[in-house]
Amino acid sequence: MELKLNREYAARHLFVAVLMLALSAWFGYDGFVKYPQTTGHDLYVSIEGAEPPENFDLASFKAQKIKTQYGFTALTFAAFLAVALRLLASARFRFDFDDTGFTCGGARFAYTDIAKVDDRDWAKKGIVRLYIKHPSTGAVVPVTLDAWHHV
């Protein structure tokens, strides 16, 4: 039997990734195209909804708003990358098992290769950690199985 990616988990994470990418594009468009083409006065009125005070430094206001859009572009793109890469890692994770053992990371293991099972988070979070003793190297490698990521 093979673990499969949980559709609800995938759909939610894909939605957030697309949302963050769309926000990044929106902020990028404002910062790189729209705000530079808009006069300081018009930008102030569109953001603040009022006329600027007399002797207000509109050039500094415009420059600051453009920098803010750059920052929002970078932050939302970083969020997109974090969510998308986590989803990709979950989708690429392979774990299958049968009566004789299991395959993880392309290697076949017997159930006797499990050095320790940490199931303290199973009841609350659906997470179990297997500590597998690799037969060829002898190193103990942790493998986390999460019921939210896979069914």
Side-chain angles (χ1 to χ4, degrees):
M1 180 176 278
E2 181 179 350
L3 296 183
K4 302 214 184 288
L5 189 62
N6 183 345
R7 296 183 127 212
E8 181 185 359
Y9 166 83
R12 287 183 183 202
H13 282 69
L14 186 59
F15 173 78
V16 171
V18 169
L19 176 65
M20 290 297 113
L21 186 59
L23 285 172
S24 182
W26 182 328
F27 293 133
Y29 175 77
D30 282 351
F32 290 101
V33 178
K34 185 177 177 186
Y35 285 15
Q37 293 177 351
T38 306
T39 66
H41 176 269
D42 291 345
L43 187 60
Y44 185 93
V45 170
S46 71
I47 292 173
E48 300 296 331
E51 289 294 320
E54 282 189 44
N55 300 324
F56 187 77
D57 187 359
L58 291 171
S60 295
F61 175 82
K62 181 178 175 176
Q64 180 56 45
K65 294 304 177 185
I66 291 172
K67 284 182 188 177
T68 300
Q69 295 304 81
Y70 293 163
F72 285 154
T73 301
L75 285 173
T76 52
F77 191 74
F80 157 73
L81 284 177
V83 173
L85 290 175
R86 179 64 199 129
L87 179 58
L88 181 62
S90 294
R92 293 185 54 149
F93 179 76
R94 296 287 177 255
F95 188 94
D96 62 295
F97 56 95
D98 56 26
D99 292 339
T100 62
F102 59 96
T103 303
C104 180
R108 183 76 182 162
F109 299 95
Y111 289 114
T112 56
D113 293 329
I114 299 174
K116 178 183 171 187
V117 176
D118 178 3
D119 64 351
R120 64 180 168 216
D121 292 331
W122 181 252
K124 193 175 199 179
K125 298 180 180 180
I127 296 173
V128 65
R129 290 172 190 83
L130 303 176
Y131 294 89
I132 304 167
K133 185 175 181 185
H134 201 280
S136 60
T137 64
V140 176
V141 179
V143 174
T144 301
L145 303 176
D146 191 332
W148 169 234
H149 297 171
H150 298 90
V151 291

